[in-house]
Structure formats: C-alpha cells, structure tokens
Amino acid sequence: QKEVEQNSGPLSVPEGAIASLNCTYSDRGSQSFFWYRQYSGKSPELIMSIYSNGDKEDGRFTAQLNKASQYVSLLIRDSQPSDSATYLCAVNYGGSQGNLIFGKGTKLSVKP
Amino acid sequence: GAVVSQHPSWVICKSGTSVKIECRSLDFQATTMFWYRQFPKQSLMLMATSNEGSKATYEQGVEKDKFLINHASLTLSTLTVTSAHPEDSSFYICSAHTGFSSDTQYFGPGTRLTVL
C-alpha cells in the first residue's frame, strides 16, 4: 500500500515566522513530489513541484527533498495570515497515468 | 497557463435525479483527467482516471455505473452522478495534466453537490 503521511496539525505559527511542513512517503520508487495549498471550501492550487534531492526555492517557499529518507518538506518564510490553509503533499509513484497519492494535509494557522 | 474550469460550481438536486459535471482544460490539451471527491474535513479521494477516447479507470470501491465518466475530447471530461442520493453530497474536483512530458496536475475550482 503506497502511503503519504502528513501531520494533520493544526500547526500554528506567528506572523513573520518560518512554517515547516513535513511529509513522508512509503515507496522508494516515487519520482515526483508536489505541494498544494487548499483554502477552506476551495480546490487545491499548486505551490511547488520537486523532482531531485535538495532544495528548490520559489519566493517565500522552499521545498526540500531527501529520497534516501523518503522525506519531503515545505518551508514558508515570513509567514502571513493569508498563508493559513491546509497544505497537501502529493507523490507520483511513477504510474503510467501520473496518478498522485495525496496526504491528508496539514492545517496551518498563521496568527497576526 | 494550465487553467482548468468546472461547471457548475454548485448544484442542488433532488434525490434520484442525475447530475452532470463538466471539466474543461482551457489552454492546453489534457490527455488525462482525474476526478476526486472530498467530504468535509477530509482529504481528496481519487475516484477515477479519465483518458481521452477510452474507458475511465475507477478506483476500488467507486461504482462505475453510478459515476459515469466520459472523456470525449482532449479538453473535456464529464462526470455524471446517476440517481443521486444524499450520501453523494460532496465536493467534486477534477484535475488534468498536460501529458507525457508533465505529471503536474492542475485542479479545477470544484463543484459542490448537495442532494436533498
């Protein structure tokens, strides 16, 4: 059973702090990794994708991938109240159709 | 780029009726589209994978005769909930990816279905 695990939270951080979101996955055959943000009542929106070990930065967001540890994380610098949402980690295990396995999501709350 | 639309955004129907939801890729051709369902405070659950010109692949536990999927063109997939019941009330979301060279999925805005 291929699984993606996330701490459900809620994770609460003060405004301006760094929020760190973590995700582990079960299958070493995984090829691509994604972070989505989902506001309440809305559909997920893509934040970042990462395919290689190491860090990938995009603005205030940094994704980190460690395939040896089967671990992917998302750092949000200078957190803002507007970042309050549920963050979904998704993993492509290499299926021919690109199916993603989603974690249950971590709810982030940024306090002003 | 990579915009996906859904219609309708919300629908209320009586128990026993059928509801059709459309998913369109607006600025790209989607060889594969995915249909998800999300109940309140729960994560996305993949219902089926839809490929243009072929039968959809349903996830275990999803009734293919109840959730009819048609992917007639590279920009349109439809999900029909047949004989809807209150337990089918949920948030239905489609996604699409651009094809062989990309596995990034772009999500539509979702359709909230309420069955009375």
Side-chain angles (χ1 to χ4, degrees):
Chain A
Q1 181 79 2
K2 295 179 172 63
E3 294 182 338
V4 177
E5 300 284 344
Q6 291 182 258
N7 188 323
S8 62
L11 173 65
S12 183
V13 301
E15 184 175 357
I18 296 175
S20 178
L21 304 162
N22 305 315
C23 173
T24 59
Y25 57 95
S26 62
D27 195 301
R28 288 189 178 275
S30 305
Q31 299 181 356
S32 14
F33 308 84
F34 305 86
W35 282 100
Y36 287 85
R37 176 174 62 194
Q38 186 176 25
Y39 292 111
S40 181
K42 303 293 185 181
S43 69
E45 56 179 321
L46 179 69
I47 298 176
M48 293 186 70
S49 59
I50 185 166
Y51 300 89
S52 304
N53 279 328
D55 295 358
K56 179 181 178 182
E57 186 175 319
D58 184 0
R60 294 187 296 114
F61 299 96
T62 299
Q64 299 174 317
L65 175 61
N66 184 325
K67 290 187 178 180
S69 300
Q70 296 173 229
Y71 175 92
V72 59
S73 66
L74 179 70
L75 300 178
I76 306 175
R77 289 181 299 281
D78 188 24
S79 296
Q80 301 296 310
S82 58
D83 294 325
S84 298
T86 296
Y87 289 81
L88 303 171
C89 172
V91 175
N92 181 352
Y93 283 99
S96 61
Q97 298 188 97
N99 294 32
L100 298 182
I101 308 295
F102 283 85
K104 294 188 185 306
T106 298
K107 187 171 184 178
L108 172 66
S109 177
V110 181
K111 303 294 187 184
Chain B
V3 178
V4 177
S5 70
Q6 274 185 251
H7 179 80
S9 56
W10 59 270
V11 57
I12 301 172
C13 69
K14 292 183 179 179
S15 185
T17 60
S18 294
V19 174
K20 180 185 283 189
I21 302 170
E22 293 186 347
C23 178
R24 292 182 185 273
S25 56
L26 298 185
D27 53 358
F28 65 100
Q29 293 186 328
T31 55
T32 305
M33 290 183 170
F34 304 87
W35 287 96
Y36 294 86
R37 181 168 53 182
Q38 187 175 37
F39 293 105
K41 299 189 186 303
Q42 295 188 25
S43 189
L44 294 170
M45 295 298 296
L46 179 66
M47 298 176 67
T49 303
S50 167
N51 291 293
E52 186 267 336
S54 63
K55 291 184 178 181
T57 303
Y58 290 82
E59 295 298 302
Q60 191 172 8
V62 178
E63 300 174 59
K64 63 180 181 180
D65 294 330
K66 180 172 180 62
F67 298 99
L68 301 178
I69 292 172
N70 184 282
H71 194 157
S73 77
L74 285 172
T75 60
L76 174 64
S77 176
T78 60
L79 167 68
T80 301
V81 183
T82 62
S83 186
H85 291 284
E87 58 266 29
D88 298 323
S89 299
S90 188
F91 192 39
Y92 292 85
I93 313 172
C94 73
S95 71
H97 70 61
T98 56
F100 180 76
S101 63
S102 170
D103 59 358
T104 301
Q105 289 188 25
Y106 298 93
F107 285 85
T111 297
R112 190 160 302 281
L113 170 64
T114 301
V115 184
L116 302 176

